[in-house]
Amino acid sequence: MPQEFSMKPIARIHTAFPTKFGIPRQSGYVPALRGQVILEPEYRNPDALRGLEEYSHIWLVWIFSQSVREGWSPTVRPPRLGGNQRKGVFATRSPFRPNPIGLSSVRLESVEWNTPEGPVLHVSGVDLMDGTPILDIKPYVAFSDSHPEAANSFSGPAREHRLQVEIPQELWERIPEEHREALREVLALDPRPAYQQDPERVYGFPFAGMEIRFTVRAGVLTVREVAE
């Protein structure tokens, strides 16, 4: 018998990414990327988080809020395969799903209990856009959630390539120190779609209040501009 369920966000996350471009393809790829999970007013009872600080990692269940569309397709074109091969939607992490739900495993750095916005979770290794609605928070349980022997198909880390990143000193100094490590790692993971390989093209994305513009040639990513 068909059923429909209504859900509403319990929290939102704040990160350095105001848009989708540049966000790591999986959680944990860039440990230096930080975020703050702020509960919605009706869920700010500290008792709801009691004991969560005893875990090192948590699961965030969230909505692809910028990728919601009418209808769905049984196959998608994963960017890591160059956008030319189709895979079943349920065999990918594509945001274009029958229900646009995401799942991220992040490190819980700390719980800040007393703030004007109630308890705040400080997390790292994020792969979410700023303002993403969170549907649920669950503890990561290592003995059941970790499967080191698991096969990874096309999405495994062995297929990830890294770029050499060059940032001129005068541009490096424009980047706030607390964001430098994270930005370098984001760039090294190559934020471009896999099917875009034009060495003359200038790419850009906003990050932590800056606009980062770069080119890629022969495996070397060079930052060309850091603008406010």
Side-chain angles (χ1 to χ4, degrees):
M1 181 176 179
Q3 289 181 306
E4 292 187 3
F5 300 91
S6 177
M7 297 185 184
K8 60 182 179 180
I10 65 162
R12 294 185 184 273
I13 191 168
H14 294 285
T15 72
F17 290 100
T19 65
K20 293 182 292 183
F21 191 90
I23 296 177
R25 296 176 180 89
Q26 304 290 345
S27 56
Y29 272 9
V30 182
L33 278 176
R34 302 298 183 103
Q36 297 80 42
V37 178
I38 298 178
L39 297 168
E40 294 293 285
E42 65 183 292
Y43 301 107
R44 290 177 183 175
N45 188 330
D47 286 343
L49 298 174
R50 186 189 301 172
L52 191 66
E53 75 280 4
E54 299 168 13
Y55 292 89
S56 65
H57 293 72
I58 58 175
W59 289 107
L60 299 178
V61 183
W62 47 279
I63 289 287
F64 286 101
S65 55
Q66 299 300 307
S67 301
V68 178
R69 58 171 62 175
E70 293 293 329
W72 69 286
S73 171
T75 61
V76 295
R77 300 176 187 269
R80 281 290 85 190
L81 296 178
N84 298 316
Q85 297 183 43
R86 284 194 172 273
K87 295 286 185 179
V89 65
F90 300 129
T92 74
R93 300 282 185 98
S94 169
F96 305 115
R97 322 183 68 77
N99 294 305
I101 297 174
L103 182 67
S104 296
S105 171
V106 298
R107 173 176 284 278
L108 178 61
E109 298 289 345
S110 66
V111 181
E112 189 176 3
W113 294 100
N114 299 307
T115 82
E117 297 173 307
V120 173
L121 306 183
H122 295 269
V123 297
S124 62
V126 300
D127 62 340
L128 293 89
M129 192 172 69
D130 185 57
T132 295
I134 307 297
L135 292 178
D136 201 4
I137 299 166
K138 300 178 185 291
Y140 178 97
V141 181
F143 80 89
S144 62
D145 293 351
S146 176
H147 302 279
E149 76 286 1
N152 289 302
S153 183
F154 70 90
S155 61
R159 296 232 178 182
E160 287 294 338
H161 69 286
R162 296 179 67 85
L163 299 174
Q164 177 183 333
V165 177
E166 295 186 352
I167 306 177
Q169 185 63 30
E170 65 272 18
L171 299 183
W172 181 249
E173 293 174 354
R174 294 184 190 176
I175 302 167
E177 188 172 355
E178 66 269 23
H179 293 299
R180 290 175 181 173
E181 179 184 356
L183 178 59
R184 183 180 287 277
E185 285 298 301
V186 166
L187 295 172
L189 287 173
D190 193 354
R192 300 172 302 163
Y195 52 83
Q196 292 184 0
Q197 301 291 327
D198 182 358
E200 303 302 323
R201 179 168 179 169
V202 178
Y203 300 86
F205 63 95
F207 177 84
M210 303 168 286
E211 179 75 16
I212 310 299
R213 299 189 179 98
F214 63 92
T215 58
V216 180
R217 180 188 293 272
V220 178
L221 183 151
T222 304
V223 174
R224 303 295 182 180
E225 186 178 1
V226 175
E228 293 292 333

